[in-house]
Amino acid sequence: IDNQPYGRAFEILTYGLYPETNPYSWPVVGYMADLQAATVEDVKNFFRVYYAPTNATISIVGDFDPAQAKLWVRKYFGDLPRGRAITRPAAKPPAITVEKRMVFEDRVQIPRLYVTWPTTGVKDNDTYALNVLSQILTGSRTARLTKALVFDRQSAAVASAFQSTSEQLGDFTISITPRPGHTLTELEASADSVLARLKYEGPSADEMARALAGIEFGFVSGLQSNLGKAEILNSGSVYFANPAYYRTNYAKVKAVTASDVKRVANTYLGPGRVVLSVVPEGKTDLAARPASSKKVTVAPDGGHYIMESK
């Protein structure tokens, strides 16, 4: 996070999306200041609560004898205490109704634009259409955003769009890196134009076919390794209490229609969003619409963030 170019971007986007009272407002492992303040007993208590059989699943995948595997599971895990019950916090979707614009100075040579909208969690069927939407925007060389910015106008070096889905909430992000001679303000306007057209007309049958084929390829590729199989089984078990949920998941992806994609684009990708420009140090003028962007800095504790007031 701290020692790679643009590494803090997603922490800052999260800071912009969620209020401090939302459990999704901070990193899973905490900020560096939190880690430095932790005592040995803090760490032990954390593992006692969360790394216990009551909060874990095991997937065994590969060429093995099921009877022998069960014996080994009993031998190596059978005497572990269950652990206490965990009270899981409920996360409400952030109430973002207007655009929030931020700029962050980083040790980078090229500025980069991030635009993020709050969406929905893993148990909401809209996540399937949002994943298809990301494929239609940047999933291939002919995808709408990639084709328009990277190849037709050649104003962007890279454009990517993706739906990030957590257990209760999610977000949809577009990231664009400019080519020399092009600004983040220009790229933001171009991306908004591509989005507006897609939201108005919806995707074509050909776009849907390519997007679904890309997602299907990724799904099948993930099954080629034992690790991929284990992750899919564990995901179904943890989120849906069904290790075989991948079958339902696959069917729901295949069932997404063009009207579904158009609907989620209009439902989620609205004015309530966070626009973050990551720029070289001392060059806040390179931000998208710099006069409207508030500067974000790292707090003195080395982890949290502070946004200037205007």
Side-chain angles (χ1 to χ4, degrees):
I1 299 298
D2 295 343
N3 67 350
Q4 61 178 308
Y6 314 100
R8 288 182 176 267
F10 291 102
E11 279 191 354
I12 297 171
L13 288 169
T14 299
Y15 163 77
L17 278 176
Y18 302 108
E20 290 184 2
T21 54
N22 191 301
Y24 282 87
S25 66
W26 57 83
V28 173
V29 298
Y31 292 105
M32 185 56 67
D34 303 318
L35 298 177
Q36 291 173 336
T39 65
V40 172
E41 194 59 30
D42 289 333
V43 176
K44 286 182 177 180
N45 286 333
F46 179 86
F47 277 86
R48 290 184 186 116
V49 173
Y50 296 105
Y51 285 74
T54 41
N55 193 46
T57 64
I58 297 175
S59 290
I60 303 175
V61 178
D63 183 9
F64 62 90
D65 177 7
Q68 180 63 65
K70 290 179 181 178
L71 290 174
W72 282 338
V73 168
R74 294 191 191 100
K75 177 180 179 180
Y76 293 109
F77 297 96
D79 62 344
L80 294 177
R82 287 182 54 82
R84 67 175 175 82
I86 297 172
T87 301
R88 303 189 184 280
K92 295 182 179 180
I96 300 179
T97 57
V98 296
E99 186 176 76
K100 184 182 295 186
R101 306 188 66 86
M102 303 186 296
V103 56
F104 177 73
E105 297 178 58
D106 198 0
R107 296 178 63 184
V108 296
Q109 295 183 343
I110 302 171
R112 181 178 291 173
L113 177 69
Y114 296 86
V115 185
T116 296
W117 295 263
T119 57
T120 190
V122 69
K123 295 185 179 180
D124 192 315
N125 287 337
D126 281 354
T127 58
Y128 300 103
L130 287 163
N131 284 326
V132 175
L133 172 61
S134 70
Q135 284 287 119
I136 288 171
L137 287 173
T138 62
S140 67
R141 291 170 62 94
T142 58
R144 289 209 181 193
L145 202 58
T146 299
K147 183 177 183 299
L149 274 59
V150 177
F151 294 101
D152 292 349
R153 303 172 191 174
Q154 298 191 12
S155 56
V158 181
S160 63
F162 52 92
Q163 161 67 12
S164 179
T165 306
S166 298
E167 184 173 6
Q168 298 182 47
L169 303 176
D171 53 77
F172 191 95
T173 300
I174 292 175
S175 171
I176 309 172
T177 305
R179 289 181 184 270
H182 297 273
T183 68
L184 297 190
T185 301
E186 171 195 349
L187 290 173
E188 181 185 356
S190 297
D192 284 345
S193 176
V194 172
L195 275 177
R197 181 175 178 182
L198 178 60
K199 290 161 73 172
Y200 174 75
E201 66 186 16
S204 67
D206 184 56
E207 286 178 311
M208 287 296 298
R210 289 201 306 268
L212 291 171
I215 292 175
E216 185 174 13
F217 175 79
F219 173 77
V220 174
S221 298
L223 293 173
Q224 290 183 340
S225 69
N226 283 341
L227 176 60
K229 295 183 182 75
E231 292 286 0
I232 288 174
L233 294 174
N234 256 338
S235 178
S237 179
V238 169
Y239 295 124
F240 301 97
N242 179 12
Y245 190 80
Y246 65 90
R247 299 171 181 169
T248 302
N249 183 79
Y250 181 77
K252 287 185 175 182
V253 170
K254 298 287 285 185
V256 172
T257 65
S259 62
D260 290 330
V261 174
K262 181 180 179 180
R263 175 182 55 79
V264 296
N266 282 280
T267 299
Y268 295 101
L269 308 192
R273 66 184 190 177
V274 175
V275 180
L276 169 65
S277 300
V278 179
V279 300
E281 292 177 324
K283 296 185 178 180
T284 56
D285 58 304
L286 296 182
R289 293 167 50 191
S292 303
S293 301
K294 294 182 179 181
K295 187 176 179 179
V296 176
T297 56
V298 180
D301 63 17
H304 301 76
Y305 298 97
I306 301 172
M307 185 162 62
E308 68 179 10
S309 59
K310 285 189 176 182

